[in-house]
Amino acid sequence: MLRIIPLGGLGEVGLNAMVFESEDQAFLVDCGIMFPQAEALGVDVVLPDFTYLRELGDKLKGVVLTHGHEDHIGALPFLLKDRPLPVYGSPFTLGLLAPKLEEFGIRAPLTELAAGSSVDLGEAFRVEGVRVTHSIPDALGLAIHTPEGLVVHTGDFKIDHSPIDELPTDLQRFARLGGDGILALLSDSTNSERPGTSLSERQVGRALEEIFAKAKSRVVIATFASNIHRIQQVLDVSRLFGRKVVLVGRSMQQNTRIASELGLLDIPLGLVVDVEEGRRLRHHEVTVLSTGAQGEPRSALMRMALGDPNAPMPVDEGDLVVLSSRFIPGNEVAIGHMVNRLAMRGAEVVYEGAEDLHASGHAYREEQRLMLRITNPRHFVPIHGEYRHLVRHVKTAHEVGIPDSSCHLITDGEVLQFEGGRAFVNGTVASGRVYVDRRGGPDVPELTLRERALIAETGLVTAVVVIDRSTGALVRGPELTARGIAVPDEAALLADVRREVHAAVESLSPVLRGDTTLVQEEVRRAVRRAYKRSTERKPVVLPLVIEL
Amino acid sequence: MLRIIPLGGLGEVGLNAMVFESEDQAFLVDCGIMFPQAEALGVDVVLPDFTYLRELGDKLKGVVLTHGHEDHIGALPFLLKDRPLPVYGSPFTLGLLAPKLEEFGIRAPLTELAAGSSVDLGEAFRVEGVRVTHSIPDALGLAIHTPEGLVVHTGDFKIDHSPIDELPTDLQRFARLGGDGILALLSDSTNSERPGTSLSERQVGRALEEIFAKAKSRVVIATFASNIHRIQQVLDVSRLFGRKVVLVGRSMQQNTRIASELGLLDIPLGLVVDVEEGRRLRHHEVTVLSTGAQGEPRSALMRMALGDPNAPMPVDEGDLVVLSSRFIPGNEVAIGHMVNRLAMRGAEVVYEGAEDLHASGHAYREEQRLMLRITNPRHFVPIHGEYRHLVRHVKTAHEVGIPDSSCHLITDGEVLQFEGGRAFVNGTVASGRVYVDRRGGPDVPELTLRERALIAETGLVTAVVVIDRSTGALVRGPELTARGIAVPDEAALLADVRREVHAAVESLSPVLRGDTTLVQEEVRRAVRRAYKRSTERKPVVLPLVIEL
C-alpha cells in the first residue's frame, strides 16, 4: 500500500509539501511557505497545516527536499521546532536551510542527498536524487522506490539544453527509470498554460550583454537572490564590460557566499566590491546586483527608488535599472509604483517586454510532454500549481496518450492510494493554510483575519455605557470612540447615537437591563442604526456595558 | 494667456480631468474616477480633487467629454451635484452619462458635440471634436482654439486602419490642423512602453471565429460592456455559427440598448434572447456575453464561476469561457481565482495568451510617433498615464525630433502656462485623490484610511477603566475587548494586562489620576506592552477612562 497526500501546492502556488506513506512508514517531500496575499492584514507567513504530520507520529521518518526555494523549504523551521526530523537535500539546498534553522535555534540532522545517490527512509522507501534544471542550482527530482513500485516526483523543473552550469536535467536517468517501469509520475504544472518551450537561461545572458553594451551609467540589476546562474551571468557580463559589482540586499550577499563556497558560483577575484568602493567608482564602472525585483516595500531597491538616504546605493539620472524576473501575480501594482519612482529619479527601467530579461524555471507545455513521454508512467498526477494549471496539465497528458483513468487530479488534503497497481482517492486528511503573524508569534485563526478585514472595510466604534446596578438606569454614556470612519457632521451624529442608545436602553424593562448581554446587543444595534443614517455604512461596533 | 492644469490622469491611470484656463474663462476636459486599489479599505470611488474647480467659480463655463469610459465621465455626477454645468460630448458619451446623472437626480444641460463640429466655451475657447478610434465608440480628440493658439488633446486614442464601424481616427483632420500650426499636442501615453502598433479590433473577430469553430458547448465571453465593437463582433460570430446570445450583467444590457438606439450596434432581430430562453436552448446554440472579465467579486461571471444558483446562467462541464479583455494591474489575483473556479466547474477558460483575444484601445509607440509627426506641434505634453508612461512618451517625442525644451512633463496639479509661444510651469493648484465610501456617503480623509489599514494590520483592543473621582482609585477594569488579534494563551494575557494597567495607574499620584488624558495614555501604553509580550505585536489600543 502506498498513499500520496499533498498537504500543500496542489491547487495553489507555494506551500509545497507532500506525504508519502506506506503501512508503517512515511516521509515528507518539501515543506514550503506561501507568500501571503493578505499582507495588509498583518500576516507575514503562510504555512501548510501540520496536523496530519503530527498524527503520523513516529511513522514520519524524515523530510526530503527537492531544492532551496522558500516555497519548498521555508516552512521547515516551523515543523522542526517541535520535532527535529532528519532532513535530506542537495548541498546548496542544505546550505540555504542551515542559517534558517540556526536563526530558530533548531538542530536537526541534515544529510546530503546528491544527484545520483540514494537514501533510505525507513524500510519502505528508498529515494534517489535525479538532477533537474530549475531557477536555482542543485535542484533534484526524486525517484522514489515504494512498496507499490517506482514513483517519480519531478520537483520544480525545466529542460534547458544549455544551462549555465552545464548540468542539464538528467534525461538519460528519467528515460532509464521510464524503461524500468514507473508506477506514477508527479510532474510540475506551474507553466502548463504556456505553449512551446521555456527560454534557456543562457539567452538571458545574451540579452544582458546587449543592455550592458548600450549602458552609459550605472546598471542596477534586480533578481531573485537564489537565482545563482542569473547572478553568474551578471558577474560575467560585468567583467566583460569592465564593471565592478556591488551586491545589495542581505539574501543576495548570503546566497552568493554560500554558492561560492560550494563551487556553484565563480566570483573572479576583485570583481565584487563593497558599497563604499561602489560609491567611489565612476558610474559607468559599476553594476549593482540587488534583490527587490518584486517591489517589496522594505527592499534595498525600493529604498533606492524612494531616494532613501540610507539606501545602499543612490539611483541617479541616466542609471539603467533592469528587473530580471517575472512579476509574481499580486505584485504588479507595487512593482509599477517602484518603476514610477525610479523614473522620477531619472533612471531608465527595463522590464518584462521585448527583451529576454528572464527565463522561467518551470517547464512549458512541450517540456511537460517530453517528461511524460520519457517516463511513460502508468499513472499521472499533476503537482505544483493552481487548479487551472493542474487541469491543463492533465489535458497535456491526454495529448500524449495517457488515458483519463490514469490521470489523478487531486488537491491538498486528498489521499491518493495505490494498491496492486490500482490508484484511487481514499478520503482526505486535514489541510489548509496556517497564518503566522511573524516569527515566534502564534498562529492566526482565519476568523481573526476576517475580523481584521471587516474592520478595515467599515471602521470600528466602541460604545461604553454605565448602568446603575440597583436601579437599572443608564448613568453614563454612551462614550464613543471611533476609528476609520468618515463622518460628515460629528456633532449631529453623536447626538443621534445618544438618542438611539438612550431610547434602546429605556425601552428595556428594569429586569431586562440586568442582562448585560442583552443590553450590549441593544447598544450595538442602536449605534449601528445611527451610523448608518449618517454615513451610509454600518461599522463594527464594540459595545461594553459596565454595571456599577 | 493660457493655462493647462491637469487635476488627474497625469501620473496615474484614471481620474482624467484637465482644466483649460484663459484670463477670464475656463473649461474642463473630462471628469473621471479611478477604480480604488484600496478596495479592502471600504472605498468605492476615488475622485479628483475639485477644490480648484470651485475656486474658478463663474469662470468655469462647462465640461467637454472625450468619451464615455468611467475614468473620463465617472466623477461628473459628484461635480455636477453641487453645480449643474453645461456638458458637451458625443451622442454615445452623453447616452452613457444620462442615466448616471438621473440616478443622482442631477439635471445639467447636455449638448451634443459630434466629430467635425464645434462648440464655444466662453469667448476664449472654441472646441472642435475630431474623430478618434478607441475601445468605445464615438470617441473624440479635441482641437481647442485658445487665445494662445491651437491645442490638440487626443483623448484616449489608437490608430486602427480597419475599425469595426469603418470610422477610423481622422488622420486627415489631425494633419490639416498640424499644417495650420499647433501650439501644443497633448497625447495619450497609456501604452508608451509598448513598441510597434496595436492590434486591430478586427483581428479579435478572427480569433473569435476560430474559437467558435472549435466550441462544442456554451461559449461565455466576458468583456467590458462599453466595448461595443467587441460586442458587435461577438454578435456577428454567434450568428455565423447559429448561436443565440444571452446578455448578462446590468451594464451589458444597458450599454447595448443605448448603442443600439444610437445606431452604433446592429443587433439582428431574434439574435438576442433572454435568460430563460438561453437556459432552454441546447448548449451549442448559446453564446453568453457577460461583464466581469476583471474578476469583480459580485459580477455575474464570478457568480457563475462560484456556482451560485441565482447566477443568470450556469457554467457546465465543457463550456468555453473567453476572457476578452486585458488584466488591469491589481486584478490578477482575483481573475486567477475566478479562472480556477471556472476550471473546477469543468469549463475551459481561454485568456491572455497565444490567441488575439483582446485589442488595446490605446496607441502603441509607433502610433504615438505618427500622431506626433502628423500634428507637428511646437510643444508636447504627454497625458494619461503613470509617470513611467509619461517619461517614455517624452523619449518617443525626442525620437521624432521634438527637442527636450518643447516637451513638458507635468503631473497632476501643475500649471503649464503658455504666453506668446513660450511655455513654463507656473506653480501648482490643489490636486489629489478624494475617497468616497459610496454613493452619497461623505468623503473619507486619508487619515481615516490609514487608521483602517493600521487596524487591519495589527488588530485592535479597547480597554475601559473606571476611576473613582474622589479617591482616584481604579475601581473597575480594565475591561478588554479585542478584535483581529491572535492570542496563544488568553487567560495569561488578561492577567498580564491587568497587572500592567493596575501598576501603571497606581504609579500615578492621586492628583495625576485626575487627568483623564494622562491616565488614558498610561492605560494605552500598559495594554500595548502586555500584548507585545504575549503576541509579538502592538495592536491599536483604544483606552477609555470613565470617572465616576
Side-chain angles (χ1 to χ4, degrees):
Chain A
M1 187 273 280
L2 167 70
R3 286 145 60 97
I4 293 178
I5 312 167
L7 298 179
L10 273 69
E12 71 219 327
V13 170
L15 227 57
N16 298 293
M18 180 173 268
V19 174
F20 285 77
E21 184 185 358
S22 70
E23 299 289 350
D24 319 304
Q25 280 126 18
F27 72 99
L28 185 67
V29 173
D30 290 339
C31 189
I33 60 163
M34 174 183 263
F35 294 99
Q37 295 289 326
E39 240 175 317
L41 298 177
V43 170
D44 288 334
V45 185
V46 186
L47 308 175
D49 189 329
F50 294 147
T51 307
Y52 188 65
L53 297 179
R54 282 188 216 104
E55 285 173 19
L56 283 173
D58 287 341
K59 276 183 76 171
L60 189 61
K61 301 302 176 193
V63 185
V64 181
L65 302 173
T66 60
H67 62 281
H69 278 150
E70 283 291 318
D71 55 340
H72 292 258
I73 70 167
L76 207 44
F78 297 88
L79 177 66
L80 298 184
K81 70 179 178 184
D82 297 326
R83 186 175 157 207
L85 291 159
V87 179
Y88 305 88
S90 68
F92 189 58
T93 305
L94 298 183
L96 293 180
L97 177 65
K100 281 179 209 299
L101 296 184
E102 216 163 279
E103 248 181 85
F104 276 74
I106 292 167
R107 264 183 235 157
L110 307 185
T111 307
E112 280 191 9
L113 171 63
S117 65
S118 300
V119 291
D120 289 335
L121 285 122
E123 292 100 52
F125 300 108
R126 162 161 291 214
V127 180
E128 174 194 336
V130 182
R131 199 175 57 214
V132 296
T133 305
H134 186 39
S135 47
I136 188 169
D138 227 3
L140 298 176
L142 305 175
I144 304 167
H145 301 269
T146 82
E148 292 289 324
L150 180 63
V151 175
V152 168
H153 183 301
T154 65
D156 285 349
F157 82 103
K158 70 181 291 187
I159 293 171
D160 186 341
H161 296 298
S162 54
I164 302 308
D165 58 4
E166 291 295 347
L167 296 170
T169 294
D170 192 348
L171 295 175
Q172 278 93 353
R173 185 62 191 146
F174 282 110
R176 168 91 53 105
L177 292 165
D180 294 348
I182 289 177
L183 174 68
L185 171 70
L186 285 52
S187 182
D188 178 9
S189 309
T190 311
N191 275 337
S192 61
E193 290 181 327
R194 302 202 191 176
T197 56
S198 65
L199 201 65
S200 168
E201 179 61 33
R202 208 171 287 270
Q203 191 59 38
V204 178
R206 293 193 198 109
L208 290 175
E209 273 188 36
E210 284 172 33
I211 284 173
F212 273 70
K214 283 183 272 182
K216 294 183 182 65
S217 187
R218 279 197 205 101
V219 178
V220 180
I221 303 204
T223 192
F224 289 113
S226 58
N227 199 331
I228 300 299
H229 294 159
R230 186 74 44 84
I231 292 168
Q232 181 73 65
Q233 297 201 92
V234 172
L235 296 179
D236 294 348
V237 176
S238 295
R239 189 164 65 157
L240 190 66
F241 285 90
R243 288 172 183 263
K244 302 288 184 185
V245 180
V246 179
L247 302 176
V248 156
R250 198 174 71 102
S251 60
M252 186 62 78
Q253 291 168 347
Q254 178 170 292
N255 290 5
T256 49
R257 186 180 49 72
I258 295 168
S260 166
E261 285 167 8
L262 290 170
L264 297 168
L265 184 66
D266 175 26
I267 309 182
L269 212 69
L271 183 67
V272 170
V273 299
D274 63 16
V275 167
E276 281 67 42
E277 188 166 345
R279 284 171 171 266
R280 272 196 301 269
L281 288 167
R282 283 176 299 172
H283 282 20
H284 68 273
E285 294 173 344
V286 183
T287 301
V288 179
L289 189 49
S290 172
T291 53
Q294 296 299 318
E296 298 93 331
R298 280 176 291 260
S299 69
L301 186 59
M302 185 63 101
R303 286 189 289 133
M304 287 156 71
L306 296 176
D308 177 350
N310 295 320
M313 293 286 289
V315 170
D316 294 327
E317 183 80 34
D319 287 355
L320 180 67
V321 180
V322 182
L323 304 186
S324 181
S325 72
R326 80 184 187 102
F327 291 4
I328 294 178
N331 294 344
E332 291 83 355
V333 173
I335 296 170
H337 173 66
M338 182 172 74
V339 173
N340 283 326
R341 296 305 297 249
L342 288 166
M344 283 180 207
R345 305 197 67 73
E348 188 179 349
V349 189
V350 194
Y351 55 98
E352 250 206 350
E355 249 99 28
D356 296 336
L357 293 173
H358 177 61
S360 173
H362 299 275
Y364 282 23
R365 211 178 285 158
E366 286 308 318
E367 297 157 72
Q368 292 174 337
R369 278 204 180 92
L370 176 57
M371 183 58 81
L372 282 157
R373 282 286 187 204
I374 209 170
T375 54
N376 191 31
R378 258 186 293 158
H379 296 279
F380 168 64
V381 184
I383 62 171
H384 301 175
E386 297 183 26
Y387 196 86
R388 58 195 158 116
H389 304 132
L390 305 180
V391 169
R392 190 60 190 75
H393 204 173
V394 166
K395 201 170 161 192
T396 300
H398 293 164
E399 288 162 6
V400 298
I402 297 181
D404 204 37
S405 58
S406 296
C407 293
H408 308 282
L409 202 170
I410 58 168
T411 55
D412 297 348
E414 287 189 291
V415 177
L416 183 63
Q417 188 156 331
F418 291 85
E419 254 179 305
R422 240 165 32 89
F424 55 97
V425 173
N426 187 7
T428 59
V429 305
S431 72
R433 298 177 191 178
V434 174
Y435 300 91
V436 179
D437 258 10
R438 60 181 58 190
R439 193 155 298 177
D443 298 354
V444 184
E446 277 208 62
L447 179 65
T448 305
L449 291 183
R450 281 205 294 274
E451 282 180 349
R452 287 184 194 167
L454 185 63
I455 296 173
E457 205 179 316
T458 65
L460 174 142
V461 185
T462 64
V464 180
V465 297
V466 181
I467 302 268
D468 185 310
R469 199 192 301 268
S470 52
T471 65
L474 199 165
V475 294
R476 181 74 181 269
E479 304 274 352
L480 301 173
T481 320
R483 285 290 184 278
I485 300 175
V487 174
D489 181 345
E490 190 124 17
L493 171 68
L494 288 183
D496 194 23
V497 172
R498 248 163 244 282
R499 259 194 310 276
E500 277 282 353
V501 170
H502 277 268
V505 174
E506 275 158 25
S507 74
L508 298 172
S509 70
V511 177
L512 288 180
R513 282 185 226 166
D515 182 341
T516 311
T517 310
L518 181 71
V519 177
Q520 268 179 4
E521 181 54 22
E522 287 298 317
V523 169
R524 197 180 69 79
R525 291 170 58 181
V527 174
R528 276 163 71 90
R529 277 197 299 277
Y531 266 88
K532 174 78 166 94
R533 271 200 294 274
S534 178
T535 68
E536 297 267 322
R537 271 183 182 263
K538 290 185 175 177
V540 173
V541 176
L542 300 185
L544 186 64
V545 174
I546 295 184
E547 285 192 316
L548 281 175
Chain B
M1 188 273 283
L2 167 69
R3 285 144 60 98
I4 294 179
I5 311 167
L7 298 179
L10 273 68
E12 71 221 325
V13 171
L15 228 57
N16 299 294
M18 181 175 268
V19 175
F20 286 77
E21 183 184 359
S22 71
E23 298 289 350
D24 319 304
Q25 280 126 19
F27 73 101
L28 184 67
V29 173
D30 290 338
C31 189
I33 60 163
M34 173 183 266
F35 295 99
Q37 294 292 325
E39 237 173 320
L41 298 177
V43 170
D44 287 334
V45 185
V46 185
L47 309 174
D49 188 329
F50 294 149
T51 307
Y52 188 66
L53 297 178
R54 282 188 216 103
E55 285 173 19
L56 283 173
D58 287 341
K59 276 183 77 170
L60 189 62
K61 301 302 177 195
V63 184
V64 180
L65 302 174
T66 60
H67 63 280
H69 278 150
E70 283 291 318
D71 56 339
H72 292 258
I73 70 169
L76 208 45
F78 297 87
L79 177 67
L80 298 184
K81 71 179 179 185
D82 297 326
R83 188 174 157 206
L85 292 159
V87 179
Y88 306 88
S90 69
F92 189 57
T93 305
L94 298 182
L96 293 181
L97 178 65
K100 280 178 210 298
L101 296 184
E102 217 163 277
E103 247 180 87
F104 276 74
I106 293 167
R107 266 184 231 156
L110 307 185
T111 307
E112 280 192 10
L113 171 64
S117 65
S118 300
V119 293
D120 289 334
L121 284 122
E123 294 99 52
F125 299 107
R126 161 158 291 213
V127 180
E128 174 195 335
V130 183
R131 197 174 60 215
V132 295
T133 305
H134 185 41
S135 47
I136 189 170
D138 227 3
L140 298 176
L142 305 175
I144 304 166
H145 301 268
T146 82
E148 293 289 322
L150 179 63
V151 175
V152 168
H153 183 299
T154 65
D156 285 347
F157 82 104
K158 70 181 290 188
I159 293 170
D160 186 341
H161 296 299
S162 54
I164 302 307
D165 57 5
E166 292 294 347
L167 295 171
T169 294
D170 193 346
L171 295 175
Q172 279 92 355
R173 185 62 190 144
F174 281 110
R176 167 93 52 111
L177 292 166
D180 293 347
I182 290 177
L183 174 67
L185 171 70
L186 284 50
S187 182
D188 178 8
S189 310
T190 310
N191 274 338
S192 61
E193 289 182 327
R194 301 200 190 180
T197 57
S198 65
L199 201 67
S200 169
E201 179 62 33
R202 207 170 287 272
Q203 191 59 37
V204 178
R206 292 192 197 108
L208 289 174
E209 273 188 36
E210 285 173 33
I211 284 174
F212 274 70
K214 283 182 273 182
K216 293 182 182 66
S217 186
R218 278 197 205 103
V219 178
V220 180
I221 303 206
T223 191
F224 289 114
S226 58
N227 198 331
I228 300 300
H229 293 159
R230 186 74 44 84
I231 292 168
Q232 182 72 66
Q233 298 200 91
V234 172
L235 295 179
D236 294 347
V237 176
S238 295
R239 188 162 65 155
L240 190 65
F241 286 89
R243 288 173 183 262
K244 301 286 187 189
V245 179
V246 179
L247 301 176
V248 156
R250 198 174 72 103
S251 59
M252 184 63 76
Q253 291 168 348
Q254 177 170 291
N255 290 5
T256 49
R257 186 181 49 71
I258 294 169
S260 165
E261 285 168 8
L262 291 171
L264 297 168
L265 182 68
D266 174 27
I267 308 182
L269 212 67
L271 183 67
V272 170
V273 299
D274 63 17
V275 167
E276 282 69 41
E277 188 167 345
R279 282 170 172 268
R280 272 196 300 272
L281 288 167
R282 283 176 298 172
H283 282 18
H284 67 273
E285 295 173 343
V286 183
T287 301
V288 179
L289 189 49
S290 172
T291 53
Q294 295 300 317
E296 297 94 331
R298 281 176 289 262
S299 69
L301 187 59
M302 185 63 101
R303 286 190 290 131
M304 289 156 72
L306 295 176
D308 177 351
N310 295 320
M313 293 287 287
V315 171
D316 293 327
E317 183 79 33
D319 287 357
L320 180 67
V321 180
V322 181
L323 304 186
S324 181
S325 72
R326 81 184 186 103
F327 292 3
I328 294 178
N331 294 343
E332 291 84 355
V333 173
I335 296 170
H337 173 66
M338 183 171 74
V339 173
N340 284 325
R341 297 303 298 247
L342 289 165
M344 282 180 209
R345 305 197 66 74
E348 187 178 349
V349 189
V350 194
Y351 55 99
E352 250 207 350
E355 251 99 28
D356 295 338
L357 294 172
H358 177 61
S360 173
H362 299 275
Y364 282 23
R365 211 178 287 160
E366 286 307 317
E367 297 157 71
Q368 293 173 337
R369 279 204 180 93
L370 175 58
M371 183 58 81
L372 283 157
R373 281 286 187 203
I374 208 170
T375 54
N376 190 30
R378 254 184 296 158
H379 296 278
F380 169 62
V381 184
I383 61 171
H384 301 176
E386 297 184 26
Y387 195 86
R388 58 194 159 120
H389 304 133
L390 305 180
V391 168
R392 191 59 189 78
H393 205 174
V394 166
K395 201 172 159 189
T396 301
H398 292 167
E399 288 162 5
V400 298
I402 297 181
D404 203 39
S405 58
S406 296
C407 293
H408 307 282
L409 202 171
I410 58 169
T411 55
D412 298 348
E414 287 189 291
V415 177
L416 183 63
Q417 188 155 332
F418 291 84
E419 254 180 304
R422 238 166 33 92
F424 55 98
V425 173
N426 187 6
T428 60
V429 306
S431 73
R433 297 174 192 180
V434 174
Y435 301 89
V436 179
D437 257 10
R438 60 182 57 190
R439 193 155 297 176
D443 297 352
V444 184
E446 278 208 62
L447 179 66
T448 304
L449 292 183
R450 280 204 295 273
E451 281 180 349
R452 286 183 195 168
L454 186 63
I455 296 172
E457 207 181 314
T458 64
L460 174 142
V461 185
T462 63
V464 180
V465 295
V466 181
I467 301 269
D468 185 311
R469 197 193 303 269
S470 52
T471 66
L474 200 166
V475 295
R476 181 75 181 266
E479 304 273 352
L480 301 173
T481 320
R483 285 288 183 279
I485 300 177
V487 174
D489 180 346
E490 191 125 16
L493 171 68
L494 289 182
D496 193 23
V497 172
R498 248 163 245 282
R499 258 195 312 275
E500 277 281 354
V501 169
H502 277 268
V505 173
E506 274 159 26
S507 74
L508 297 172
S509 69
V511 177
L512 289 179
R513 282 185 224 167
D515 181 341
T516 311
T517 310
L518 181 72
V519 176
Q520 267 179 4
E521 181 55 21
E522 287 297 317
V523 169
R524 198 179 69 79
R525 291 170 58 181
V527 173
R528 277 164 70 90
R529 275 196 300 277
Y531 266 89
K532 174 78 165 96
R533 270 201 294 275
S534 178
T535 68
E536 297 266 320
R537 274 184 179 263
K538 289 186 175 178
V540 173
V541 176
L542 300 185
L544 187 64
V545 174
I546 295 185
E547 286 193 315
L548 282 175

